[in-house]
Amino acid sequence: MVTIDGPAASGKSSVSRDLAQRLGWQWLSTGAFYRGIGYVAGEKSADLSNESGLVDLINEKDWKVVMTPERTQFFYKAKDVTDHISLEHVGDIASKISHYPEVRKHLLKAQRDMAHRGPGLVAEGRDCGTVVFPQAKVKIYLTAHSSSRAQRRSEEQGVSLQKTIETQKLRDEQDSSRKAAPLQVPEGAHVIDTSELNQQQVVDKVEELVRHTLGI
Ligand code: DC
């Protein structure tokens, strides 16, 4: 088990996905749970300030998460809505609802269940090394200057740099300041600053670290 945490656009999704492919392990992006429930909440015009209403949506269980090597898919009412959950405004809803302890608690079990389905798991998110999989043998924390992260995200999403800087600032504040499982560096994690590195360099570095630590 390897966990990779970090702020938005630190490169953790692509790095963790590539790492999982190199190791022949499963890959899980835990943001898909928050994004997916955020999407469902949006579809149902749910009140985002009503924590127990959001928990009810989770418990209705008309959603599921499926791991594939390329994407962590989210199905709602048996329909693949993965393209929708990737949108920036859904990420924003996800960030908002993720500060509710009950929402987190109800998604935790579903996330942990994913660990039993393969030879090994690379999981990425905000609290994978601290809360979801504290037993992980290797924990990585990716970080990057906010300007590099914004540049990356704005290219990915085709959104202006200025707008991306504003959204990212807000998201970082929300994710780091919440009381329930805030974004933080897990104890014993290897911190890697990706500002000056390209994706392949980061994956090489992480793979070496993992293989060395696990002796594989
Ligand atoms: O990594 P992402 O952009 O897909 O995550 C979207 C939001 O979901 C993020 O802003 C906060 C929340 N999230 C979380 O609280 N805990 C996680 N492990 C993953 C995501």
Side-chain angles (χ1 to χ4, degrees), residues 17-66:
R17 185 182 48 217
D18 285 5
L19 175 70
Q21 277 175 8
R22 289 192 191 183
L23 298 174
W25 288 9
Q26 302 263 41
W27 171 59
L28 178 68
S29 174
T30 54
F33 287 83
Y34 295 93
R35 286 175 174 271
I37 297 305
Y39 171 80
V40 173
E43 284 297 288
K44 295 205 165 185
S45 309
D47 176 3
L48 298 186
S49 63
N50 178 358
E51 183 172 6
S52 66
L54 293 167
V55 169
D56 290 344
L57 290 187
I58 297 174
N59 286 336
E60 276 171 27
K61 261 289 177 195
D62 43 12
W63 57 273
K64 74 170 175 180
V65 168
V66 174

Short mmCIF file of all heavy atoms in Angstrom, two decimals, residues 17-66:
data_model
loop_
_atom_site.label_atom_id
_atom_site.label_comp_id
_atom_site.label_asym_id
_atom_site.label_seq_id
_atom_site.Cartn_x
_atom_site.Cartn_y
_atom_site.Cartn_z
N ARG A 17 -1.24 7.42 -10.53
CA ARG A 17 -1.74 6.51 -11.58
C ARG A 17 -0.57 5.84 -12.31
O ARG A 17 -0.56 4.63 -12.51
CB ARG A 17 -2.59 7.30 -12.57
CG ARG A 17 -3.25 6.44 -13.63
CD ARG A 17 -4.04 7.28 -14.59
NE ARG A 17 -3.23 8.40 -15.05
CZ ARG A 17 -3.69 9.62 -15.28
NH1 ARG A 17 -4.96 9.90 -15.12
NH2 ARG A 17 -2.88 10.57 -15.69
N ASP A 18 0.43 6.63 -12.68
CA ASP A 18 1.60 6.05 -13.37
C ASP A 18 2.34 5.07 -12.46
O ASP A 18 2.79 4.02 -12.90
CB ASP A 18 2.57 7.15 -13.80
CG ASP A 18 2.05 7.92 -15.00
OD1 ASP A 18 0.91 7.64 -15.42
OD2 ASP A 18 2.79 8.78 -15.51
N LEU A 19 2.45 5.43 -11.21
CA LEU A 19 3.15 4.55 -10.27
C LEU A 19 2.42 3.21 -10.17
O LEU A 19 3.06 2.14 -10.23
CB LEU A 19 3.22 5.20 -8.88
CG LEU A 19 3.83 4.33 -7.80
CD1 LEU A 19 5.34 4.14 -8.03
CD2 LEU A 19 3.58 4.88 -6.40
N ALA A 20 1.10 3.26 -10.04
CA ALA A 20 0.31 2.02 -9.93
C ALA A 20 0.53 1.16 -11.17
O ALA A 20 0.69 -0.07 -11.07
CB ALA A 20 -1.16 2.36 -9.75
N GLN A 21 0.56 1.80 -12.35
CA GLN A 21 0.77 1.02 -13.58
C GLN A 21 2.14 0.37 -13.58
O GLN A 21 2.28 -0.79 -13.93
CB GLN A 21 0.59 1.91 -14.80
CG GLN A 21 -0.89 2.03 -15.16
CD GLN A 21 -1.17 3.01 -16.30
OE1 GLN A 21 -0.27 3.51 -16.95
NE2 GLN A 21 -2.45 3.28 -16.52
N ARG A 22 3.14 1.10 -13.15
CA ARG A 22 4.50 0.53 -13.13
C ARG A 22 4.60 -0.63 -12.15
O ARG A 22 5.33 -1.58 -12.38
CB ARG A 22 5.52 1.60 -12.75
CG ARG A 22 5.73 2.63 -13.85
CD ARG A 22 6.93 3.46 -13.51
NE ARG A 22 7.07 4.62 -14.36
CZ ARG A 22 8.08 5.47 -14.28
NH1 ARG A 22 9.03 5.30 -13.38
NH2 ARG A 22 8.16 6.51 -15.10
N LEU A 23 3.88 -0.53 -11.04
CA LEU A 23 3.96 -1.60 -10.02
C LEU A 23 3.00 -2.75 -10.33
O LEU A 23 3.09 -3.81 -9.72
CB LEU A 23 3.62 -1.04 -8.63
CG LEU A 23 4.52 0.05 -8.04
CD1 LEU A 23 3.94 0.56 -6.72
CD2 LEU A 23 5.94 -0.47 -7.81
N GLY A 24 2.05 -2.51 -11.24
CA GLY A 24 1.01 -3.51 -11.52
C GLY A 24 -0.01 -3.57 -10.39
O GLY A 24 -0.60 -4.63 -10.13
N TRP A 25 -0.22 -2.46 -9.73
CA TRP A 25 -1.15 -2.38 -8.61
C TRP A 25 -2.42 -1.63 -9.02
O TRP A 25 -2.47 -1.01 -10.08
CB TRP A 25 -0.52 -1.62 -7.43
CG TRP A 25 0.55 -2.36 -6.70
CD1 TRP A 25 1.15 -3.55 -7.06
CD2 TRP A 25 1.18 -1.96 -5.47
NE1 TRP A 25 2.10 -3.90 -6.14
CE2 TRP A 25 2.14 -2.95 -5.15
CE3 TRP A 25 1.04 -0.87 -4.62
CZ2 TRP A 25 2.93 -2.87 -4.02
CZ3 TRP A 25 1.82 -0.79 -3.49
CH2 TRP A 25 2.77 -1.79 -3.19
N GLN A 26 -3.41 -1.69 -8.15
CA GLN A 26 -4.64 -0.93 -8.37
C GLN A 26 -4.38 0.54 -8.03
O GLN A 26 -3.51 0.84 -7.21
CB GLN A 26 -5.75 -1.42 -7.45
CG GLN A 26 -6.08 -2.87 -7.60
CD GLN A 26 -7.27 -3.06 -8.52
OE1 GLN A 26 -7.40 -2.38 -9.54
NE2 GLN A 26 -8.14 -3.96 -8.16
N TRP A 27 -5.21 1.41 -8.60
CA TRP A 27 -5.06 2.83 -8.34
C TRP A 27 -6.40 3.43 -7.91
O TRP A 27 -7.43 3.16 -8.54
CB TRP A 27 -4.58 3.55 -9.60
CG TRP A 27 -4.61 5.04 -9.48
CD1 TRP A 27 -3.94 5.79 -8.56
CD2 TRP A 27 -5.36 5.96 -10.27
NE1 TRP A 27 -4.22 7.12 -8.73
CE2 TRP A 27 -5.09 7.25 -9.77
CE3 TRP A 27 -6.22 5.82 -11.36
CZ2 TRP A 27 -5.65 8.39 -10.32
CZ3 TRP A 27 -6.78 6.95 -11.90
CH2 TRP A 27 -6.49 8.23 -11.39
N LEU A 28 -6.37 4.18 -6.84
CA LEU A 28 -7.61 4.80 -6.35
C LEU A 28 -7.41 6.30 -6.11
O LEU A 28 -6.52 6.71 -5.37
CB LEU A 28 -8.03 4.15 -5.01
CG LEU A 28 -9.28 4.75 -4.36
CD1 LEU A 28 -10.53 4.45 -5.20
CD2 LEU A 28 -9.47 4.20 -2.94
N SER A 29 -8.28 7.09 -6.75
CA SER A 29 -8.28 8.52 -6.49
C SER A 29 -9.46 8.79 -5.54
O SER A 29 -10.62 8.74 -5.95
CB SER A 29 -8.47 9.26 -7.82
OG SER A 29 -8.60 10.62 -7.57
N THR A 30 -9.16 9.06 -4.28
CA THR A 30 -10.25 9.17 -3.30
C THR A 30 -11.09 10.44 -3.49
O THR A 30 -12.22 10.51 -3.01
CB THR A 30 -9.71 9.15 -1.84
OG1 THR A 30 -8.71 10.16 -1.70
CG2 THR A 30 -9.14 7.80 -1.49
N GLY A 31 -10.55 11.40 -4.22
CA GLY A 31 -11.33 12.60 -4.54
C GLY A 31 -12.61 12.24 -5.29
O GLY A 31 -13.62 12.96 -5.21
N ALA A 32 -12.59 11.10 -6.02
CA ALA A 32 -13.77 10.68 -6.79
C ALA A 32 -14.99 10.49 -5.89
O ALA A 32 -16.13 10.72 -6.31
CB ALA A 32 -13.48 9.40 -7.56
N PHE A 33 -14.77 10.08 -4.64
CA PHE A 33 -15.90 9.88 -3.72
C PHE A 33 -16.54 11.23 -3.39
O PHE A 33 -17.76 11.36 -3.40
CB PHE A 33 -15.41 9.22 -2.41
CG PHE A 33 -15.06 7.77 -2.57
CD1 PHE A 33 -13.82 7.39 -3.06
CD2 PHE A 33 -15.97 6.78 -2.25
CE1 PHE A 33 -13.49 6.06 -3.21
CE2 PHE A 33 -15.65 5.44 -2.40
CZ PHE A 33 -14.40 5.08 -2.88
N TYR A 34 -15.70 12.21 -3.08
CA TYR A 34 -16.22 13.53 -2.71
C TYR A 34 -16.80 14.24 -3.92
O TYR A 34 -17.84 14.89 -3.85
CB TYR A 34 -15.11 14.36 -2.05
CG TYR A 34 -14.68 13.75 -0.74
CD1 TYR A 34 -13.61 12.87 -0.66
CD2 TYR A 34 -15.41 14.00 0.42
CE1 TYR A 34 -13.25 12.28 0.53
CE2 TYR A 34 -15.06 13.41 1.62
CZ TYR A 34 -13.97 12.54 1.67
OH TYR A 34 -13.64 11.95 2.85
N ARG A 35 -16.10 14.10 -5.05
CA ARG A 35 -16.60 14.70 -6.29
C ARG A 35 -17.93 14.06 -6.68
O ARG A 35 -18.88 14.74 -7.09
CB ARG A 35 -15.58 14.52 -7.42
CG ARG A 35 -14.38 15.41 -7.29
CD ARG A 35 -13.34 15.11 -8.36
NE ARG A 35 -12.26 16.07 -8.31
CZ ARG A 35 -12.24 17.23 -8.97
NH1 ARG A 35 -13.22 17.55 -9.77
NH2 ARG A 35 -11.21 18.05 -8.84
N GLY A 36 -17.97 12.72 -6.59
CA GLY A 36 -19.18 11.99 -6.99
C GLY A 36 -20.37 12.39 -6.14
O GLY A 36 -21.46 12.68 -6.67
N ILE A 37 -20.19 12.42 -4.83
CA ILE A 37 -21.30 12.80 -3.95
C ILE A 37 -21.66 14.28 -4.18
O ILE A 37 -22.82 14.65 -4.15
CB ILE A 37 -20.97 12.50 -2.46
CG1 ILE A 37 -20.76 10.99 -2.28
CG2 ILE A 37 -22.07 13.01 -1.53
CD1 ILE A 37 -21.92 10.10 -2.76
N GLY A 38 -20.65 15.09 -4.46
CA GLY A 38 -20.91 16.49 -4.81
C GLY A 38 -21.76 16.57 -6.06
O GLY A 38 -22.70 17.37 -6.15
N TYR A 39 -21.46 15.73 -7.02
CA TYR A 39 -22.24 15.69 -8.28
C TYR A 39 -23.68 15.27 -7.99
O TYR A 39 -24.63 15.90 -8.47
CB TYR A 39 -21.58 14.71 -9.25
CG TYR A 39 -22.41 14.44 -10.48
CD1 TYR A 39 -22.45 15.34 -11.54
CD2 TYR A 39 -23.19 13.28 -10.56
CE1 TYR A 39 -23.24 15.09 -12.65
CE2 TYR A 39 -23.99 13.03 -11.65
CZ TYR A 39 -23.99 13.93 -12.70
OH TYR A 39 -24.79 13.69 -13.79
N VAL A 40 -23.84 14.21 -7.19
CA VAL A 40 -25.19 13.73 -6.85
C VAL A 40 -25.97 14.84 -6.14
O VAL A 40 -27.14 15.10 -6.44
CB VAL A 40 -25.11 12.46 -5.95
CG1 VAL A 40 -26.50 12.05 -5.46
CG2 VAL A 40 -24.46 11.31 -6.71
N ALA A 41 -25.29 15.52 -5.22
CA ALA A 41 -25.94 16.61 -4.49
C ALA A 41 -26.41 17.70 -5.47
O ALA A 41 -27.52 18.21 -5.35
CB ALA A 41 -24.97 17.20 -3.46
N GLY A 42 -25.57 18.00 -6.44
CA GLY A 42 -25.92 19.00 -7.45
C GLY A 42 -27.12 18.55 -8.27
O GLY A 42 -28.06 19.32 -8.51
N GLU A 43 -27.11 17.27 -8.69
CA GLU A 43 -28.21 16.73 -9.50
C GLU A 43 -29.54 16.81 -8.75
O GLU A 43 -30.59 17.01 -9.33
CB GLU A 43 -27.95 15.25 -9.83
CG GLU A 43 -26.92 15.03 -10.91
CD GLU A 43 -27.37 15.61 -12.24
OE1 GLU A 43 -28.27 15.04 -12.87
OE2 GLU A 43 -26.80 16.65 -12.64
N LYS A 44 -29.44 16.58 -7.43
CA LYS A 44 -30.68 16.56 -6.63
C LYS A 44 -30.97 17.92 -6.02
O LYS A 44 -31.87 18.02 -5.17
CB LYS A 44 -30.53 15.52 -5.51
CG LYS A 44 -30.41 14.10 -6.03
CD LYS A 44 -30.88 13.12 -4.98
CE LYS A 44 -31.10 11.76 -5.62
NZ LYS A 44 -31.66 10.78 -4.72
N SER A 45 -30.21 18.92 -6.41
CA SER A 45 -30.33 20.27 -5.83
C SER A 45 -30.38 20.21 -4.31
O SER A 45 -31.20 20.86 -3.66
CB SER A 45 -31.57 21.00 -6.34
OG SER A 45 -31.62 20.96 -7.72
N ALA A 46 -29.49 19.38 -3.75
CA ALA A 46 -29.47 19.22 -2.29
C ALA A 46 -28.91 20.48 -1.63
O ALA A 46 -28.11 21.20 -2.22
CB ALA A 46 -28.61 18.01 -1.94
N ASP A 47 -29.32 20.66 -0.40
CA ASP A 47 -28.83 21.79 0.39
C ASP A 47 -27.43 21.44 0.91
O ASP A 47 -27.27 20.53 1.73
CB ASP A 47 -29.82 22.01 1.55
CG ASP A 47 -29.36 23.10 2.50
OD1 ASP A 47 -28.30 23.71 2.22
OD2 ASP A 47 -30.06 23.32 3.49
N LEU A 48 -26.43 22.16 0.44
CA LEU A 48 -25.05 21.81 0.79
C LEU A 48 -24.70 22.15 2.23
O LEU A 48 -23.63 21.78 2.72
CB LEU A 48 -24.05 22.49 -0.15
CG LEU A 48 -24.14 22.14 -1.64
CD1 LEU A 48 -23.01 22.79 -2.39
CD2 LEU A 48 -24.13 20.63 -1.87
N SER A 49 -25.60 22.85 2.90
CA SER A 49 -25.31 23.17 4.30
C SER A 49 -26.00 22.17 5.24
O SER A 49 -25.89 22.27 6.45
CB SER A 49 -25.77 24.59 4.63
OG SER A 49 -27.16 24.67 4.49
N ASN A 50 -26.69 21.18 4.66
CA ASN A 50 -27.40 20.19 5.47
C ASN A 50 -26.61 18.88 5.53
O ASN A 50 -26.74 18.02 4.65
CB ASN A 50 -28.80 19.98 4.86
CG ASN A 50 -29.59 18.93 5.62
OD1 ASN A 50 -29.11 18.32 6.58
ND2 ASN A 50 -30.83 18.72 5.20
N GLU A 51 -25.82 18.73 6.57
CA GLU A 51 -24.92 17.58 6.68
C GLU A 51 -25.69 16.25 6.67
O GLU A 51 -25.32 15.31 5.96
CB GLU A 51 -24.10 17.70 7.98
CG GLU A 51 -23.09 16.58 8.17
CD GLU A 51 -22.17 16.84 9.36
OE1 GLU A 51 -22.38 17.81 10.10
OE2 GLU A 51 -21.22 16.05 9.53
N SER A 52 -26.78 16.17 7.44
CA SER A 52 -27.47 14.88 7.51
C SER A 52 -28.17 14.56 6.17
O SER A 52 -28.29 13.40 5.79
CB SER A 52 -28.44 14.82 8.69
OG SER A 52 -29.47 15.74 8.48
N GLY A 53 -28.59 15.60 5.45
CA GLY A 53 -29.18 15.37 4.13
C GLY A 53 -28.13 14.78 3.18
O GLY A 53 -28.43 13.89 2.37
N LEU A 54 -26.89 15.25 3.31
CA LEU A 54 -25.82 14.73 2.45
C LEU A 54 -25.50 13.28 2.81
O LEU A 54 -25.27 12.44 1.93
CB LEU A 54 -24.56 15.60 2.60
CG LEU A 54 -24.70 17.03 2.06
CD1 LEU A 54 -23.54 17.91 2.51
CD2 LEU A 54 -24.77 17.02 0.53
N VAL A 55 -25.55 12.98 4.11
CA VAL A 55 -25.32 11.60 4.55
C VAL A 55 -26.42 10.70 3.98
O VAL A 55 -26.15 9.57 3.53
CB VAL A 55 -25.25 11.52 6.10
CG1 VAL A 55 -25.29 10.08 6.57
CG2 VAL A 55 -24.01 12.22 6.61
N ASP A 56 -27.66 11.20 3.96
CA ASP A 56 -28.77 10.42 3.38
C ASP A 56 -28.47 10.08 1.92
O ASP A 56 -28.70 8.96 1.47
CB ASP A 56 -30.10 11.18 3.47
CG ASP A 56 -30.59 11.28 4.91
OD1 ASP A 56 -30.09 10.51 5.76
OD2 ASP A 56 -31.47 12.13 5.18
N LEU A 57 -27.94 11.06 1.19
CA LEU A 57 -27.60 10.81 -0.22
C LEU A 57 -26.57 9.69 -0.34
O LEU A 57 -26.64 8.84 -1.22
CB LEU A 57 -26.99 12.06 -0.86
CG LEU A 57 -27.87 13.27 -1.13
CD1 LEU A 57 -27.09 14.31 -1.92
CD2 LEU A 57 -29.08 12.83 -1.92
N ILE A 58 -25.60 9.71 0.57
CA ILE A 58 -24.56 8.66 0.55
C ILE A 58 -25.21 7.31 0.83
O ILE A 58 -24.95 6.32 0.16
CB ILE A 58 -23.45 8.96 1.59
CG1 ILE A 58 -22.75 10.26 1.22
CG2 ILE A 58 -22.47 7.79 1.68
CD1 ILE A 58 -21.73 10.74 2.26
N ASN A 59 -26.11 7.29 1.82
CA ASN A 59 -26.73 6.03 2.23
C ASN A 59 -27.72 5.48 1.21
O ASN A 59 -28.03 4.29 1.24
CB ASN A 59 -27.42 6.20 3.58
CG ASN A 59 -26.40 6.27 4.69
OD1 ASN A 59 -25.27 5.77 4.55
ND2 ASN A 59 -26.75 6.90 5.80
N GLU A 60 -28.20 6.33 0.32
CA GLU A 60 -29.13 5.84 -0.70
C GLU A 60 -28.44 4.82 -1.61
O GLU A 60 -29.10 3.98 -2.22
CB GLU A 60 -29.68 6.99 -1.55
CG GLU A 60 -30.88 7.66 -0.88
CD GLU A 60 -31.31 8.93 -1.59
OE1 GLU A 60 -31.08 9.07 -2.82
OE2 GLU A 60 -31.89 9.80 -0.92
N LYS A 61 -27.13 4.94 -1.67
CA LYS A 61 -26.31 3.95 -2.36
C LYS A 61 -26.73 3.72 -3.82
O LYS A 61 -26.69 2.59 -4.32
CB LYS A 61 -26.34 2.61 -1.59
CG LYS A 61 -25.10 2.41 -0.72
CD LYS A 61 -23.92 2.15 -1.60
CE LYS A 61 -22.59 2.00 -0.88
NZ LYS A 61 -21.48 2.11 -1.83
N ASP A 62 -27.15 4.78 -4.50
CA ASP A 62 -27.40 4.61 -5.93
C ASP A 62 -26.17 5.07 -6.71
O ASP A 62 -26.25 5.49 -7.84
CB ASP A 62 -28.69 5.33 -6.38
CG ASP A 62 -28.82 6.71 -5.78
OD1 ASP A 62 -27.81 7.19 -5.21
OD2 ASP A 62 -29.90 7.31 -5.88
N TRP A 63 -25.01 4.96 -6.04
CA TRP A 63 -23.75 5.33 -6.67
C TRP A 63 -22.73 4.23 -6.40
O TRP A 63 -22.89 3.45 -5.46
CB TRP A 63 -23.23 6.65 -6.09
CG TRP A 63 -23.05 6.61 -4.59
CD1 TRP A 63 -24.02 6.89 -3.65
CD2 TRP A 63 -21.88 6.25 -3.85
NE1 TRP A 63 -23.50 6.74 -2.39
CE2 TRP A 63 -22.20 6.34 -2.46
CE3 TRP A 63 -20.58 5.86 -4.21
CZ2 TRP A 63 -21.28 6.06 -1.45
CZ3 TRP A 63 -19.67 5.58 -3.20
CH2 TRP A 63 -20.01 5.68 -1.84
N LYS A 64 -21.71 4.18 -7.23
CA LYS A 64 -20.58 3.29 -6.92
C LYS A 64 -19.30 3.79 -7.58
O LYS A 64 -19.36 4.51 -8.59
CB LYS A 64 -20.88 1.84 -7.30
CG LYS A 64 -20.85 1.54 -8.74
CD LYS A 64 -20.91 0.03 -8.98
CE LYS A 64 -21.00 -0.19 -10.49
NZ LYS A 64 -21.06 -1.52 -10.94
N VAL A 65 -18.20 3.40 -6.98
CA VAL A 65 -16.90 3.80 -7.49
C VAL A 65 -16.20 2.56 -8.04
O VAL A 65 -16.25 1.49 -7.43
CB VAL A 65 -16.06 4.43 -6.35
CG1 VAL A 65 -14.61 4.59 -6.76
CG2 VAL A 65 -16.65 5.78 -5.95
N VAL A 66 -15.62 2.70 -9.23
CA VAL A 66 -14.95 1.57 -9.87
C VAL A 66 -13.52 2.00 -10.23
O VAL A 66 -13.33 3.06 -10.83
CB VAL A 66 -15.71 1.15 -11.15
CG1 VAL A 66 -14.95 0.07 -11.92
CG2 VAL A 66 -17.11 0.66 -10.81
#
